[in-house]
Amino acid sequence: MRCLIVEDDPILSGQIAAAMRQGGFVADIANDGAQAEFMGMTETYDVAILDLGLPGLPGIEVLTRWRAQGLSLPVLILTARGDWSDKVAGFRAGADDYAVKPFRLDEVVLRAQTLVRRAAGHARAVLTAGPLGYDTQLGVITRDGMALRLTAFETRILGYLMHHPGRVVSRTELSEHLYDAGSDRDFKSIEVVIGRLRRKIGEGLIETRRGEGYVLCGDPA
């Protein structure tokens, strides 16, 4: 999963990014409103964490422009304590949730994970697909109740597929959600990791659709 963090305080943005990466996300940072608007419209994100008090272009205006341009990704706004007017303005502009400063970093991660699950149509924290289970809060994937020994990249790939079971996911879509803005998107690496995952979770659970992508099936073939 990939997130955009929009926060002009470099220390706080770094702390949020570190917490999100610990929670299984790939994180990009925008330090002002203009940069945030551009990145939101040109890159692919699963969730955005948006501070409202930004220099230049305010966070509310960034969100308003995103929604006006058809960007529907979930947005978690960051507001000052007790400033109810900011929360109301944020929700009216199209925000999905909010966190009040000062906040616990794990709260932001949990709220972001919840928004991503809901956007994919999942209500529960543990996703299932046949014998597989994915605890989105702990970042643990199991088969038949036993935790799998997966690398961080393997977990990100399989985790994304488990958010979209039964649907064809192209290599391009996977790369857009697995790499940050500064990384080279390597399709060959994805193919290699898919091969490793098949050996770890069992053949038949990840199906290749030639020329289309990959499908996570509910039961092995």
Side-chain angles (χ1 to χ4, degrees), residues 55-76:
L57 192 65
I60 289 293
E61 183 62 25
V62 172
L63 181 53
T64 299
R65 294 186 184 188
W66 279 348
R67 296 305 191 224
Q69 295 177 74
L71 190 64
S72 60
L73 87 164
V75 175
L76 171 68

Side-chain angles (χ1 to χ4, degrees), residues 14 29 34 50 55 59 65 93-94 113-115 124 128 142-143 145 152 155 184 195 213 218:
I29 297 174
L50 176 65
R65 294 186 184 188
Q113 291 170 336
T114 299
L115 290 178
R124 298 184 177 182
T128 59
T142 60
R143 171 161 180 145
T155 299
D184 292 328

Side-chain angles (χ1 to χ4, degrees), residues 4 9-10 14-16 19 40 44 56-57 87 95 121 123 127 133 138 162 175 198 217:
L4 174 61
D9 182 330
Q15 291 172 336
I16 297 173
T44 302
L57 192 65
K87 299 171 193 175
L127 312 183
L138 297 179
M162 289 195 68
S175 70
R198 286 194 174 107
C217 305

